[in-house]
């Protein structure tokens, strides 16, 4: 390990008597040291960029300079840690990949590993990063998007008898979740190239197969695959959209024909969606996505 005493050098004192300290091969000073009135700790050290903070007190000049070396190391370590955390946003564990909640809802992926702990990358605001995930895949049943941007997951863990609920704020939800790297998506009905049976076909990479053949290829039960459902052309409603209802209400009660989407609920098991719309009445109205039209 390099001796800290060999890592810095003094520059020429400025007009105020403050001596710049250069660390390693830097051409800009890491900070300044200077002597004040007599006392037990007459030497001061102040790092560059810390002008709004108090200088630290030291008994010797070299101790003040070494404080600046330490600050350089602390800041470099913080930069490295920030880069590591930011990289975690895109570096999935082996055998897994990141998927957005939008993709998970649209494709009907049933088994996911949500982010369980999502601290800030730096400080107490800004971007988050995935620190820990669910240890085992969660069987997902419903994804609900609330009016405030939060997302609520409902499902089961460790089998079907352990309820699972997770509330994520918007920054947490933006991280998505892990799904198996080889995940099947429903393609269309057709004849299975392997067993030649007419059935719903699933795609894994470039390979197509029926549920039984695809599940055998992936080594999972067939009920782990997304439910087969045809695209009915319904709008993929999002919170904040303006929608028009195509159905009548038994009682108008102040409800207009158009309103604002305030909540959506995607049921993963059968891949159906419910949309809650505020039409300006006493309460929001929930309906199937297909019962709404663009305003």
């Amino acid at each position: 390990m390099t001796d800290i005493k060999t890592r810095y050098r003094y520059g020429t004192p400025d007009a105020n008597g403050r001596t710049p300290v250069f660390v390693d091969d830097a051409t800009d000073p890491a900070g300044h040291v200077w002597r004040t009135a007599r006392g037990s700790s007459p030497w001061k050290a102040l790092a560059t960029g810390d002008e709004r903070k108090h200088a630290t007190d030291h008994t010797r000049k070299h101790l003040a300079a070494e404080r600046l070396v330490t600050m350089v190391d602390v800041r470099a370590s913080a930069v490295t840690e920030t880069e590591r955390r930011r990289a975690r946003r895109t570096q999935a564990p082996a055998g897994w990949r990141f998927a957005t909640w939008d993709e998970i809802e649209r494709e009907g992926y049933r088994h996911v590993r949500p982010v369980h702990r999502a601290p800030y990358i730096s400080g107490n605001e800004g971007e988050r990063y995935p620190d820990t995930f669910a240890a085992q895949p969660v069987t997902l049943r419903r994804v609900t998007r609330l009016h405030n941007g939060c997302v609520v997951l409902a499902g089961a863990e460790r089998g079907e008898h352990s309820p699972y609920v997770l509330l994520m704020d918007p920054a947490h939800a933006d991280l998505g979740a892990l799904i198996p790297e080889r995940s099947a998506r429903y393609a269309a009905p057709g004849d299975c190239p392997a067993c030649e049976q007419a059935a719903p076909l699933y795609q894994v990479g470039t390979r197509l197969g029926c549920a039984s053949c695809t599940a055998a290829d992936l080594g999972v039960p067939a009920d782990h695959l997304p439910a087969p459902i045809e695209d009915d052309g319904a709008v993929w409603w999002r919170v904040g959209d303006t929608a028009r209802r195509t159905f009548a209400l038994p009682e108008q009660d102040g409800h207009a024909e158009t309103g604002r989407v305030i909540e959506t609920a995607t049921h993963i098991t059968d891949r159906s969606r419910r949309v809650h719309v505020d039409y300006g009445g006493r309460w929001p109205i929930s309906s199937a996505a297909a019962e709404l039209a663009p305003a």
Side-chain angles (χ1 to χ4, degrees):
M1 179 180 289
T2 304
D3 185 353
I4 193 172
K5 292 181 175 58
T6 67
R7 293 186 56 197
Y8 66 88
R9 69 186 188 280
Y10 296 115
T12 302
D14 61 19
N16 296 318
R18 298 189 175 193
T19 302
V21 178
F22 298 87
V23 176
D24 298 328
D25 297 323
T27 57
D28 295 321
H32 293 78
V33 298
W34 68 93
R35 187 184 180 95
T36 59
R38 295 179 181 275
S40 59
S41 300
W43 285 95
K44 299 280 189 179
L46 185 64
T48 300
D50 287 349
E51 286 75 10
R52 294 186 178 182
K53 299 181 180 179
H54 294 292
T56 54
D57 300 326
H58 304 275
T59 57
R60 297 287 187 272
K61 182 179 182 180
H62 74 273
L63 294 178
E66 289 172 12
R67 163 70 178 179
L68 298 178
V69 177
T70 300
M71 288 302 299
V72 167
D73 291 344
V74 168
R75 289 176 175 177
S77 178
V79 169
T80 300
E81 178 62 14
T82 297
E83 292 174 349
R84 183 192 71 82
R85 292 179 177 184
R86 184 166 284 114
R88 287 285 298 272
R89 290 173 60 93
T90 56
Q91 293 176 349
W96 299 84
R97 73 171 178 87
F98 282 103
T100 65
W101 286 108
D102 190 72
E103 178 187 357
I104 291 168
E105 289 180 80
R106 285 177 175 270
E107 298 297 341
Y109 294 129
R110 296 187 181 187
H111 290 82
V112 303
R113 291 175 59 192
V115 177
H116 274 185
R117 187 170 181 273
Y120 291 104
I121 289 177
S122 179
N124 296 314
E125 59 183 6
E127 290 183 314
R128 306 277 193 89
Y129 76 98
D131 187 44
T132 58
F133 302 91
Q136 299 296 326
V138 170
T139 301
L140 200 59
R141 292 184 180 140
R142 187 175 65 254
V143 179
T144 303
R145 295 180 180 268
L146 305 181
H147 68 281
N148 57 4
C150 292
V151 177
V152 182
L153 310 180
E157 58 182 343
R158 296 186 298 274
E160 295 295 318
H161 304 293
S162 299
Y164 177 91
V165 177
L166 179 65
L167 170 64
M168 302 179 292
D169 64 25
H172 186 164
D174 282 346
L175 298 175
L178 296 177
I179 65 171
E181 205 164 36
R182 298 185 69 230
S183 290
R185 58 179 297 272
Y186 172 68
D191 294 332
C192 177
C195 67
E196 300 183 345
Q197 292 186 359
L201 299 182
Y202 292 85
Q203 182 175 359
V204 180
T206 58
R207 182 172 179 177
L208 284 176
C210 65
S212 297
C213 293
T214 301
D217 178 45
L218 296 176
V220 300
D223 62 5
H224 280 207
L225 304 181
I229 183 172
E230 292 302 316
D231 182 6
D232 57 6
V235 175
W236 187 264
W237 296 103
R238 302 178 186 276
V239 171
D241 287 346
T242 300
R244 177 175 58 83
R245 56 185 172 86
T246 61
F247 55 91
L249 297 174
E251 297 180 7
Q252 290 298 111
D253 201 21
H255 294 291
E257 288 191 3
T258 62
R260 178 177 174 273
V261 176
I262 61 170
E263 183 177 309
T264 63
T266 302
H267 297 265
I268 300 297
T269 305
D270 62 4
R271 298 180 69 179
S272 63
R273 298 190 86 213
R274 301 291 296 181
V275 182
H276 297 255
V277 180
D278 181 0
Y279 294 104
R282 295 176 59 186
W283 54 79
I285 301 295
S286 173
S287 62
E291 294 180 302
L292 301 173

